[in-house]
Amino acid sequence: MKLYHILFTLLLTALSGLATAQPSAVKKALRSAFKITTFKADGTLNGTAYGAFLSEEGEAISAWTPFEGAATAAVIDMQGNKYDVDVIYGVSDMYNLVRFKVKTPKKGGPMAATTEQTAQPVGSEAWCTRYSGKSTTAQKLAVTKAETFMTSLPYYVIEQTDNSFGDDMVGTPIYNAQGQLMGLMNTSSMRTDLHVASAQLAQTLVPSGLSLNDFTLRKTKIRLALPTDYNHAMIALLLAEKRCDDDTYEAMINDFIASFPDKEDGYVSMIQLLTKKKQFKEAEDFFNEALKATGETGSMHYSFFKTIVQKETQMADTPYEGWSLQKALEELDKAIALQPDVELYKQQRELLIKEMEAK
């Protein structure tokens, strides 16, 4: 019995040692880890992976593969909080990495990781996340090879000690001893070592005006983020009108208006979309609200003139009280009064008058 107590005490001591083996910085960093599940358009499971948050505003990175063929995705963090994926910023197919943003509450955003800025030498600790919700832990391995890619970013190879990280662990966050995010794990059924491209790669994954034409990004139905540059955003909006369904396009228009509230393009696009959907009252109300944001400009009245004419000529079978060629003429006259030097407006007025007289 005495021997039993000694052995039991030794076992508790050993377990206690294992529990405290993780540096405190790593324990804290693990709170930035999450599991992501993606779904097809019919709601069925598409794939799973892991990842880490990069900001409290919901910016995150994960493995790209589960996003292929996905229509929606949701993240569950270590605290059990669920976040729906909102938009994708960019992807690296070569390194199986996607940067995206989730919808976050106004208060109490996710715990963010600190991205490693200094490369780790061979032999350094690499703490590999073992995600299991609130009981998430990390296993210590070591960097066996440190290389460079994209001129200056570190690329690590880590040999497994027990081959316990398989294909189902793709995207697992790996931290250094200081709790900084080194990158996400890539695994393969063809090898046992783990490959980790620097998490700094995520900063290069940004949307452009032509992202909607990107072959890789077109493999997912999850909405792409709007570029932060106005000119690129305009190109993206033009492409979205042709490539996206109405709901996705409307969401992108709203993003544009939120990003560039002083630009008329977003408001005009929304008015045209609402008209296309035969929501004429909503389009007119939106136009009146847009004038408050942009101010009375000739170009806004001219755009509304074109919208009314298009409706009256192409959707004449769906009447809307208050919209007519006469109403279009009134809007054009307002545009001319505000910008009398624009010859285009005057030319359009002559054509409209002839059209009205012909009827």
Side-chain angles (χ1 to χ4, degrees):
M1 182 64 70
K2 185 176 181 180
L3 179 61
Y4 170 81
H5 283 297
I6 293 174
L7 292 173
F8 183 71
T9 300
L10 290 173
L11 178 60
L12 287 178
T13 302
L15 290 174
S16 176
L18 287 174
T20 58
Q22 298 169 174
S24 59
V26 173
K27 284 185 178 180
K28 182 178 179 181
L30 288 176
R31 292 165 57 192
S32 65
F34 60 73
K35 182 175 183 179
I36 185 166
T37 305
T38 65
F39 304 90
K40 299 177 182 177
D42 61 3
T44 58
L45 178 67
N46 188 66
T48 60
Y50 299 88
F53 283 110
L54 300 181
S55 77
E56 296 178 355
E57 288 71 39
E59 179 186 342
I61 54 174
S62 182
W64 162 248
T65 44
F67 283 80
E68 295 184 356
T72 59
V75 162
I76 302 292
D77 68 9
M78 187 176 160
Q79 290 74 46
N81 300 312
K82 179 183 177 182
Y83 304 95
D84 293 326
V85 173
D86 188 18
V87 292
I88 291 177
Y89 290 114
V91 59
S92 171
D93 193 20
M94 177 178 293
Y95 297 105
N96 194 20
L97 186 71
V98 59
R99 177 173 165 244
F100 59 93
K101 187 179 186 298
V102 301
K103 299 175 183 177
T104 57
K106 292 183 178 179
K107 294 182 179 180
M111 171 72 181
T114 299
T115 302
E116 174 186 88
Q117 298 298 313
T118 304
Q120 302 297 297
V122 171
S124 299
E125 294 179 8
W127 290 88
C128 304
T129 305
R130 288 282 188 187
Y131 183 90
S132 56
K134 295 183 179 180
S135 301
T136 295
T137 58
Q139 179 178 336
K140 185 173 75 170
L141 296 176
V143 175
T144 53
K145 186 183 294 186
E147 302 174 341
T148 301
F149 74 107
M150 291 183 65
T151 307
S152 61
L153 299 183
Y155 188 93
Y156 304 108
V157 178
I158 300 171
E159 294 290 345
Q160 294 196 63
T161 55
D162 55 7
N163 297 334
S164 60
F165 289 96
D167 293 348
D168 59 336
M169 299 294 288
V170 67
T172 292
I174 299 181
Y175 305 89
N176 61 28
Q178 292 73 48
Q180 298 170 331
L181 180 65
M182 298 169 66
L184 304 184
M185 179 190 304
N186 257 321
T187 60
S188 171
S189 57
M190 303 297 291
R191 61 174 189 256
T192 58
D193 56 350
L194 309 175
H195 287 233
V196 184
S198 172
Q200 295 177 56
L201 174 62
Q203 300 308 313
T204 69
L205 305 179
V206 295
S208 74
L210 298 176
S211 288
L212 283 168
N213 283 339
D214 185 276
F215 176 76
T216 301
L217 285 169
R218 288 174 63 184
K219 293 180 180 178
T220 185
K221 297 186 185 312
I222 297 175
R223 184 164 63 92
L224 303 185
L226 197 70
T228 56
D229 176 81
Y230 168 69
N231 291 322
H232 280 276
M234 272 299 304
I235 295 172
L237 203 60
L238 291 172
L239 284 176
E241 182 180 10
K242 298 176 176 61
R243 289 199 173 277
C244 301
D245 58 63
D246 285 350
D247 289 342
T248 302
Y249 179 44
E250 183 173 350
M252 291 191 71
I253 294 174
N254 284 325
D255 284 351
F256 188 97
I257 293 172
S259 299
F260 310 101
D262 60 333
K263 302 293 186 180
E264 297 177 358
D265 313 89
Y267 302 103
V268 172
S269 296
M270 183 63 80
I271 293 166
Q272 292 173 343
L273 176 61
L274 291 170
T275 302
K276 171 191 169 186
K277 295 164 70 174
K278 298 184 178 181
Q279 297 176 7
F280 307 124
K281 184 180 186 307
E282 290 81 353
E284 186 169 21
D285 290 344
F286 194 87
F287 169 70
N288 291 324
E289 288 299 315
L291 289 180
K292 297 177 183 178
T294 64
E296 293 274 349
T297 65
S299 54
M300 276 298 291
H301 284 289
Y302 178 70
S303 295
F304 196 41
F305 146 75
K306 290 196 300 181
T307 298
I308 296 173
V309 169
Q310 184 178 31
K311 183 268 172 195
E312 288 300 298
T313 55
Q314 298 181 14
M315 291 180 276
D317 58 335
T318 309
Y320 172 63
E321 184 179 358
W323 281 21
S324 62
L325 293 182
Q326 179 59 42
K327 170 66 174 176
L329 179 61
E330 292 171 5
E331 291 299 325
L332 187 53
D333 283 341
K334 290 178 183 178
I336 294 172
L338 290 165
Q339 292 179 291
D341 296 333
V342 180
E343 289 299 321
L344 175 63
Y345 298 170
K346 297 174 183 177
Q347 294 169 6
Q348 290 295 315
R349 191 180 193 282
E350 291 178 6
L351 293 173
L352 180 59
I353 293 293
K354 289 179 181 180
E355 176 72 17
M356 294 172 67
E357 290 175 346
K359 290 190 174 184

PDB file of all heavy atoms in Angstrom, residues 53-77:
ATOM      1  N   PHE A  53      -6.603  33.667 -35.181  1.00  0.00           N
ATOM      2  CA  PHE A  53      -7.012  35.054 -35.380  1.00  0.00           C
ATOM      3  C   PHE A  53      -5.777  35.953 -35.384  1.00  0.00           C
ATOM      4  O   PHE A  53      -4.842  35.757 -34.608  1.00  0.00           O
ATOM      5  CB  PHE A  53      -7.959  35.503 -34.267  1.00  0.00           C
ATOM      6  CG  PHE A  53      -9.357  34.990 -34.428  1.00  0.00           C
ATOM      7  CD1 PHE A  53      -9.868  34.026 -33.570  1.00  0.00           C
ATOM      8  CD2 PHE A  53     -10.166  35.468 -35.448  1.00  0.00           C
ATOM      9  CE1 PHE A  53     -11.159  33.561 -33.720  1.00  0.00           C
ATOM     10  CE2 PHE A  53     -11.465  35.003 -35.608  1.00  0.00           C
ATOM     11  CZ  PHE A  53     -11.961  34.041 -34.748  1.00  0.00           C
ATOM     12  N   LEU A  54      -5.810  36.971 -36.254  1.00  0.00           N
ATOM     13  CA  LEU A  54      -4.719  37.935 -36.347  1.00  0.00           C
ATOM     14  C   LEU A  54      -5.097  39.287 -35.760  1.00  0.00           C
ATOM     15  O   LEU A  54      -4.231  40.138 -35.564  1.00  0.00           O
ATOM     16  CB  LEU A  54      -4.302  38.118 -37.812  1.00  0.00           C
ATOM     17  CG  LEU A  54      -3.815  36.864 -38.539  1.00  0.00           C
ATOM     18  CD1 LEU A  54      -3.419  37.226 -39.961  1.00  0.00           C
ATOM     19  CD2 LEU A  54      -2.649  36.214 -37.803  1.00  0.00           C
ATOM     20  N   SER A  55      -6.385  39.506 -35.512  1.00  0.00           N
ATOM     21  CA  SER A  55      -6.806  40.779 -34.926  1.00  0.00           C
ATOM     22  C   SER A  55      -8.100  40.581 -34.147  1.00  0.00           C
ATOM     23  O   SER A  55      -8.844  39.616 -34.375  1.00  0.00           O
ATOM     24  CB  SER A  55      -7.026  41.834 -36.017  1.00  0.00           C
ATOM     25  OG  SER A  55      -8.251  41.612 -36.683  1.00  0.00           O
ATOM     26  N   GLU A  56      -8.362  41.504 -33.231  1.00  0.00           N
ATOM     27  CA  GLU A  56      -9.590  41.456 -32.452  1.00  0.00           C
ATOM     28  C   GLU A  56     -10.800  41.831 -33.294  1.00  0.00           C
ATOM     29  O   GLU A  56     -11.939  41.627 -32.875  1.00  0.00           O
ATOM     30  CB  GLU A  56      -9.476  42.396 -31.250  1.00  0.00           C
ATOM     31  CG  GLU A  56      -8.397  41.988 -30.259  1.00  0.00           C
ATOM     32  CD  GLU A  56      -8.281  42.959 -29.099  1.00  0.00           C
ATOM     33  OE1 GLU A  56      -8.976  43.996 -29.128  1.00  0.00           O
ATOM     34  OE2 GLU A  56      -7.498  42.683 -28.170  1.00  0.00           O
ATOM     35  N   GLU A  57     -10.562  42.382 -34.480  1.00  0.00           N
ATOM     36  CA  GLU A  57     -11.655  42.740 -35.388  1.00  0.00           C
ATOM     37  C   GLU A  57     -12.089  41.553 -36.241  1.00  0.00           C
ATOM     38  O   GLU A  57     -12.981  41.682 -37.081  1.00  0.00           O
ATOM     39  CB  GLU A  57     -11.236  43.895 -36.297  1.00  0.00           C
ATOM     40  CG  GLU A  57     -11.132  45.232 -35.597  1.00  0.00           C
ATOM     41  CD  GLU A  57      -9.935  45.312 -34.664  1.00  0.00           C
ATOM     42  OE1 GLU A  57      -8.861  44.787 -35.044  1.00  0.00           O
ATOM     43  OE2 GLU A  57     -10.073  45.858 -33.562  1.00  0.00           O
ATOM     44  N   GLY A  58     -11.454  40.394 -36.046  1.00  0.00           N
ATOM     45  CA  GLY A  58     -11.894  39.181 -36.742  1.00  0.00           C
ATOM     46  C   GLY A  58     -11.082  38.772 -37.935  1.00  0.00           C
ATOM     47  O   GLY A  58     -11.453  37.827 -38.645  1.00  0.00           O
ATOM     48  N   GLU A  59      -9.961  39.443 -38.183  1.00  0.00           N
ATOM     49  CA  GLU A  59      -9.085  39.001 -39.280  1.00  0.00           C
ATOM     50  C   GLU A  59      -8.431  37.692 -38.867  1.00  0.00           C
ATOM     51  O   GLU A  59      -7.981  37.537 -37.728  1.00  0.00           O
ATOM     52  CB  GLU A  59      -8.027  40.065 -39.550  1.00  0.00           C
ATOM     53  CG  GLU A  59      -7.061  39.697 -40.661  1.00  0.00           C
ATOM     54  CD  GLU A  59      -5.936  40.693 -40.812  1.00  0.00           C
ATOM     55  OE1 GLU A  59      -6.080  41.828 -40.309  1.00  0.00           O
ATOM     56  OE2 GLU A  59      -4.914  40.323 -41.420  1.00  0.00           O
ATOM     57  N   ALA A  60      -8.354  36.746 -39.782  1.00  0.00           N
ATOM     58  CA  ALA A  60      -7.860  35.419 -39.430  1.00  0.00           C
ATOM     59  C   ALA A  60      -7.219  34.734 -40.633  1.00  0.00           C
ATOM     60  O   ALA A  60      -7.396  35.157 -41.777  1.00  0.00           O
ATOM     61  CB  ALA A  60      -9.005  34.565 -38.891  1.00  0.00           C
ATOM     62  N   ILE A  61      -6.486  33.658 -40.340  1.00  0.00           N
ATOM     63  CA  ILE A  61      -5.918  32.816 -41.392  1.00  0.00           C
ATOM     64  C   ILE A  61      -6.237  31.364 -41.099  1.00  0.00           C
ATOM     65  O   ILE A  61      -6.393  30.956 -39.948  1.00  0.00           O
ATOM     66  CB  ILE A  61      -4.388  33.000 -41.547  1.00  0.00           C
ATOM     67  CG1 ILE A  61      -3.672  32.795 -40.208  1.00  0.00           C
ATOM     68  CG2 ILE A  61      -4.062  34.340 -42.145  1.00  0.00           C
ATOM     69  CD1 ILE A  61      -2.157  32.810 -40.320  1.00  0.00           C
ATOM     70  N   SER A  62      -6.337  30.588 -42.156  1.00  0.00           N
ATOM     71  CA  SER A  62      -6.606  29.165 -42.028  1.00  0.00           C
ATOM     72  C   SER A  62      -6.096  28.483 -43.286  1.00  0.00           C
ATOM     73  O   SER A  62      -5.567  29.133 -44.194  1.00  0.00           O
ATOM     74  CB  SER A  62      -8.107  28.911 -41.842  1.00  0.00           C
ATOM     75  OG  SER A  62      -8.369  27.527 -41.679  1.00  0.00           O
ATOM     76  N   ALA A  63      -6.265  27.163 -43.331  1.00  0.00           N
ATOM     77  CA  ALA A  63      -5.929  26.418 -44.543  1.00  0.00           C
ATOM     78  C   ALA A  63      -6.963  26.725 -45.618  1.00  0.00           C
ATOM     79  O   ALA A  63      -8.156  26.879 -45.331  1.00  0.00           O
ATOM     80  CB  ALA A  63      -5.884  24.927 -44.244  1.00  0.00           C
ATOM     81  N   TRP A  64      -6.528  26.794 -46.855  1.00  0.00           N
ATOM     82  CA  TRP A  64      -7.411  27.143 -47.959  1.00  0.00           C
ATOM     83  C   TRP A  64      -8.298  25.986 -48.408  1.00  0.00           C
ATOM     84  O   TRP A  64      -9.451  26.189 -48.802  1.00  0.00           O
ATOM     85  CB  TRP A  64      -6.585  27.653 -49.148  1.00  0.00           C
ATOM     86  CG  TRP A  64      -7.315  27.631 -50.459  1.00  0.00           C
ATOM     87  CD1 TRP A  64      -7.054  26.841 -51.537  1.00  0.00           C
ATOM     88  CD2 TRP A  64      -8.445  28.438 -50.840  1.00  0.00           C
ATOM     89  NE1 TRP A  64      -7.933  27.098 -52.563  1.00  0.00           N
ATOM     90  CE2 TRP A  64      -8.802  28.073 -52.154  1.00  0.00           C
ATOM     91  CE3 TRP A  64      -9.187  29.417 -50.189  1.00  0.00           C
ATOM     92  CZ2 TRP A  64      -9.864  28.663 -52.833  1.00  0.00           C
ATOM     93  CZ3 TRP A  64     -10.247  29.998 -50.866  1.00  0.00           C
ATOM     94  CH2 TRP A  64     -10.575  29.627 -52.168  1.00  0.00           C
ATOM     95  N   THR A  65      -7.801  24.770 -48.348  1.00  0.00           N
ATOM     96  CA  THR A  65      -8.498  23.619 -48.954  1.00  0.00           C
ATOM     97  C   THR A  65      -9.961  23.472 -48.550  1.00  0.00           C
ATOM     98  O   THR A  65     -10.796  23.183 -49.416  1.00  0.00           O
ATOM     99  CB  THR A  65      -7.735  22.314 -48.659  1.00  0.00           C
ATOM    100  OG1 THR A  65      -7.319  22.286 -47.281  1.00  0.00           O
ATOM    101  CG2 THR A  65      -6.497  22.186 -49.539  1.00  0.00           C
ATOM    102  N   PRO A  66     -10.357  23.684 -47.291  1.00  0.00           N
ATOM    103  CA  PRO A  66     -11.784  23.522 -46.950  1.00  0.00           C
ATOM    104  C   PRO A  66     -12.685  24.584 -47.572  1.00  0.00           C
ATOM    105  O   PRO A  66     -13.908  24.417 -47.588  1.00  0.00           O
ATOM    106  CB  PRO A  66     -11.799  23.630 -45.419  1.00  0.00           C
ATOM    107  CG  PRO A  66     -10.406  23.415 -44.992  1.00  0.00           C
ATOM    108  CD  PRO A  66      -9.563  23.949 -46.091  1.00  0.00           C
ATOM    109  N   PHE A  67     -12.106  25.661 -48.075  1.00  0.00           N
ATOM    110  CA  PHE A  67     -12.903  26.730 -48.664  1.00  0.00           C
ATOM    111  C   PHE A  67     -13.299  26.418 -50.114  1.00  0.00           C
ATOM    112  O   PHE A  67     -14.239  27.012 -50.638  1.00  0.00           O
ATOM    113  CB  PHE A  67     -12.124  28.053 -48.632  1.00  0.00           C
ATOM    114  CG  PHE A  67     -12.104  28.712 -47.283  1.00  0.00           C
ATOM    115  CD1 PHE A  67     -11.227  28.281 -46.299  1.00  0.00           C
ATOM    116  CD2 PHE A  67     -12.961  29.759 -46.987  1.00  0.00           C
ATOM    117  CE1 PHE A  67     -11.194  28.884 -45.050  1.00  0.00           C
ATOM    118  CE2 PHE A  67     -12.947  30.369 -45.744  1.00  0.00           C
ATOM    119  CZ  PHE A  67     -12.054  29.921 -44.767  1.00  0.00           C
ATOM    120  N   GLU A  68     -12.581  25.515 -50.741  1.00  0.00           N
ATOM    121  CA  GLU A  68     -12.906  25.166 -52.122  1.00  0.00           C
ATOM    122  C   GLU A  68     -14.270  24.475 -52.169  1.00  0.00           C
ATOM    123  O   GLU A  68     -14.486  23.457 -51.516  1.00  0.00           O
ATOM    124  CB  GLU A  68     -11.833  24.260 -52.714  1.00  0.00           C
ATOM    125  CG  GLU A  68     -10.479  24.927 -52.846  1.00  0.00           C
ATOM    126  CD  GLU A  68      -9.459  24.035 -53.532  1.00  0.00           C
ATOM    127  OE1 GLU A  68      -9.798  22.864 -53.833  1.00  0.00           O
ATOM    128  OE2 GLU A  68      -8.325  24.492 -53.764  1.00  0.00           O
ATOM    129  N   GLY A  69     -15.203  25.046 -52.920  1.00  0.00           N
ATOM    130  CA  GLY A  69     -16.548  24.493 -53.007  1.00  0.00           C
ATOM    131  C   GLY A  69     -17.472  24.921 -51.884  1.00  0.00           C
ATOM    132  O   GLY A  69     -18.641  24.517 -51.840  1.00  0.00           O
ATOM    133  N   ALA A  70     -16.980  25.758 -50.982  1.00  0.00           N
ATOM    134  CA  ALA A  70     -17.791  26.179 -49.832  1.00  0.00           C
ATOM    135  C   ALA A  70     -18.642  27.400 -50.164  1.00  0.00           C
ATOM    136  O   ALA A  70     -18.236  28.266 -50.922  1.00  0.00           O
ATOM    137  CB  ALA A  70     -16.893  26.478 -48.640  1.00  0.00           C
ATOM    138  N   ALA A  71     -19.833  27.444 -49.555  1.00  0.00           N
ATOM    139  CA  ALA A  71     -20.727  28.599 -49.696  1.00  0.00           C
ATOM    140  C   ALA A  71     -20.756  29.426 -48.422  1.00  0.00           C
ATOM    141  O   ALA A  71     -20.968  30.632 -48.468  1.00  0.00           O
ATOM    142  CB  ALA A  71     -22.140  28.143 -50.047  1.00  0.00           C
ATOM    143  N   THR A  72     -20.546  28.762 -47.286  1.00  0.00           N
ATOM    144  CA  THR A  72     -20.502  29.446 -45.995  1.00  0.00           C
ATOM    145  C   THR A  72     -19.455  28.760 -45.121  1.00  0.00           C
ATOM    146  O   THR A  72     -19.020  27.645 -45.409  1.00  0.00           O
ATOM    147  CB  THR A  72     -21.861  29.406 -45.265  1.00  0.00           C
ATOM    148  OG1 THR A  72     -22.246  28.037 -45.058  1.00  0.00           O
ATOM    149  CG2 THR A  72     -22.941  30.116 -46.067  1.00  0.00           C
ATOM    150  N   ALA A  73     -19.075  29.439 -44.039  1.00  0.00           N
ATOM    151  CA  ALA A  73     -18.101  28.863 -43.111  1.00  0.00           C
ATOM    152  C   ALA A  73     -18.311  29.479 -41.737  1.00  0.00           C
ATOM    153  O   ALA A  73     -18.766  30.619 -41.613  1.00  0.00           O
ATOM    154  CB  ALA A  73     -16.675  29.106 -43.604  1.00  0.00           C
ATOM    155  N   ALA A  74     -17.956  28.722 -40.713  1.00  0.00           N
ATOM    156  CA  ALA A  74     -18.086  29.209 -39.344  1.00  0.00           C
ATOM    157  C   ALA A  74     -16.877  28.773 -38.532  1.00  0.00           C
ATOM    158  O   ALA A  74     -16.314  27.698 -38.751  1.00  0.00           O
ATOM    159  CB  ALA A  74     -19.367  28.683 -38.698  1.00  0.00           C
ATOM    160  N   VAL A  75     -16.497  29.633 -37.585  1.00  0.00           N
ATOM    161  CA  VAL A  75     -15.330  29.410 -36.743  1.00  0.00           C
ATOM    162  C   VAL A  75     -15.784  29.230 -35.299  1.00  0.00           C
ATOM    163  O   VAL A  75     -16.671  29.949 -34.831  1.00  0.00           O
ATOM    164  CB  VAL A  75     -14.370  30.622 -36.851  1.00  0.00           C
ATOM    165  CG1 VAL A  75     -13.390  30.642 -35.698  1.00  0.00           C
ATOM    166  CG2 VAL A  75     -13.630  30.592 -38.178  1.00  0.00           C
ATOM    167  N   ILE A  76     -15.166  28.284 -34.600  1.00  0.00           N
ATOM    168  CA  ILE A  76     -15.388  28.106 -33.166  1.00  0.00           C
ATOM    169  C   ILE A  76     -14.046  28.295 -32.477  1.00  0.00           C
ATOM    170  O   ILE A  76     -13.098  27.551 -32.739  1.00  0.00           O
ATOM    171  CB  ILE A  76     -15.956  26.708 -32.819  1.00  0.00           C
ATOM    172  CG1 ILE A  76     -17.274  26.451 -33.549  1.00  0.00           C
ATOM    173  CG2 ILE A  76     -16.138  26.568 -31.309  1.00  0.00           C
ATOM    174  CD1 ILE A  76     -18.415  27.306 -33.077  1.00  0.00           C
ATOM    175  N   ASP A  77     -13.951  29.299 -31.582  1.00  0.00           N
ATOM    176  CA  ASP A  77     -12.673  29.538 -30.933  1.00  0.00           C
ATOM    177  C   ASP A  77     -12.545  28.726 -29.652  1.00  0.00           C
ATOM    178  O   ASP A  77     -13.440  27.956 -29.291  1.00  0.00           O
ATOM    179  CB  ASP A  77     -12.450  31.035 -30.680  1.00  0.00           C
ATOM    180  CG  ASP A  77     -13.395  31.614 -29.629  1.00  0.00           C
ATOM    181  OD1 ASP A  77     -14.117  30.849 -28.952  1.00  0.00           O
ATOM    182  OD2 ASP A  77     -13.411  32.856 -29.473  1.00  0.00           O
TER     183      ASP A  77
END
